[in-house]
Structure formats: structure tokens, C-alpha cells
Amino acid sequence: MPFGYYHQLNAKAKRIYRASDKVSDFQLPNVSVVRPVVRKIFEALQAESHLRTQKWTQRLLNRLTSQLHIRPIRFELLDIRPSNPRMELYGLYYPMEGRRIPRIQVWMRTAKRHQVVAFRTFLRTLLHELCHHLDYDCLGLKDSFHTKGFYGREASLASQVLSLVDTSAWGTGHPSRVGKTKRKI
């Protein structure tokens, strides 16, 4: 059963939606090659290093797009998530803009507390935006809708990449909590 907005789409968009919904899994050819890069992203977030998080996330995307033989993506790490009273924005995907290569933007800090986001949240957001790119470049879709199939592909990618990492061996899994202890009163 499609999401509610499906009924507001035109016939062409409905065909794209149904094609997207049919694919609920995406297998990476050799996910193990990204393990050291994923760890570097974890460490960069833990250190609250904007520069290193930017650098290693771009390298992760470079390795994935190279392995899949698809167009590269430019990654842009932004600081504090934009928000309004109803929501926070986690990430955005921009398909090809004129002659520019596609671009992903992800925010590093939460809107209210300005804390560095949790590693898993950061990585899942990145993979969500990457799924939009895969819709265009791997599946050949003319648009990228949030369908049940899309969320299945996102979960599939996250499962593969996160299965490589045991953040419990790396620390807390949440950068802003590392090295902070509760004081007894």
C-alpha cells in the first residue's frame, strides 16, 4: 500500500513511485573496504572535528560511488541543523545542478542543544541521502520518492555498513558523551 501522498501524484510520477517501491534491498559489492573509513568518521565525530568529519565522509562516498561505478557525489558538512517548531532537518540531496556534480548536505549538530549528532544517526542520515543518488544512478529512476522500497534500500545499506562496526568497542557510540562522567553530589 503506497504512502498517502501517492494519490496526489500524476500518472508519470506514480509509475516512478511504483518502480521505486518494487526494490527494497541494495547490496554493496564489497562493503568491507569502507570499514576503516567508517571508523575514521566515528573518531572525527567523537573529537567533534568538523574538518575531519567532512574529509572522511567524503572519502566514504568516494569509495562507495567508485565501487558502484556511478557519478561521484560532493559532500558538504554543515554545522547546526535548521529547525522549526515541528521538525529538524537532518540532511539533503541535490541531484545534478547544471554542470555540478550531485551533492549531499548533512548537519553535524542538533538544533536545540547544538550537540554533535550520534554516530549512527549521522551515518544513517548520510546513507538515506545516498539512497536518493542510487535511485537516479543505479536504478535509473527519474525521481526519488520516499517509498517503502526506498526505506527498505536505506535499511539494507545501513545494515551492511553498520554491521562492520562495533561502536561498543570504540566507545559510547555518541560523540558528545565520550569522556563525560556524571558527578556525584
Side-chain angles (χ1 to χ4, degrees):
M1 182 165 172
F3 291 130
Y5 74 90
Y6 172 83
H7 302 292
Q8 298 168 358
L9 300 174
N10 64 34
K12 180 181 176 185
K14 284 180 179 178
R15 281 192 299 277
I16 296 167
Y17 183 105
R18 288 190 303 270
S20 171
D21 216 15
K22 288 180 183 175
V23 183
S24 60
D25 185 43
F26 193 90
Q27 292 300 310
L28 295 169
N30 185 7
V31 72
S32 64
V33 302
V34 301
R35 187 180 204 288
V37 178
V38 171
R39 181 176 178 113
K40 291 289 190 181
I41 294 169
F42 176 84
E43 292 169 352
L45 284 169
Q46 193 174 38
E48 299 188 24
S49 172
H50 190 280
L51 188 61
R52 287 179 28 219
T53 303
Q54 166 76 39
K55 170 186 161 183
W56 289 108
T57 305
Q58 183 65 64
R59 284 199 184 162
L60 173 64
L61 290 171
N62 291 349
R63 286 190 182 185
L64 291 171
T65 56
S66 175
Q67 186 180 124
L68 295 168
H69 307 288
I70 59 175
R71 291 178 298 157
I73 305 169
R74 185 170 58 96
F75 177 69
E76 186 176 348
L77 182 63
L78 301 172
D79 194 33
I80 299 168
R81 291 179 185 156
S83 66
N84 64 34
R86 293 188 344 245
M87 53 83 68
E88 282 185 35
L89 189 58
Y90 285 49
L92 289 170
Y93 171 74
Y94 295 93
M96 189 118 85
E97 302 166 326
R99 293 178 181 245
R100 293 183 178 178
I101 63 172
R103 174 172 55 120
I104 289 175
Q105 291 179 324
V106 175
W107 282 267
M108 185 173 169
R109 296 183 181 277
T110 61
K112 287 187 180 180
R113 296 187 177 195
H114 300 188
Q115 293 176 321
V116 172
V117 298
F119 167 72
R120 288 179 183 274
T121 302
F122 180 84
L123 200 57
R124 285 202 70 122
T125 301
L126 180 71
L127 295 173
H128 174 97
E129 302 309 332
L130 176 62
C131 277
H132 287 297
H133 188 62
L134 298 176
D135 281 359
Y136 291 102
D137 277 32
C138 289
L139 299 181
L141 299 175
K142 300 293 181 198
D143 207 340
S144 180
F145 293 111
H146 289 134
T147 66
K148 287 181 183 175
F150 177 90
Y151 288 115
R153 294 188 297 279
E154 175 193 326
S156 171
L157 284 176
S159 173
Q160 291 170 72
V161 173
L162 289 170
S163 72
L164 298 172
V165 296
D166 177 10
T167 55
S168 65
W170 296 353
T172 65
H174 195 289
S176 64
R177 294 191 190 115
V178 173
K180 296 183 180 169
T181 57
K182 292 182 182 177
R183 291 192 299 182
K184 292 182 182 180
I185 300 176

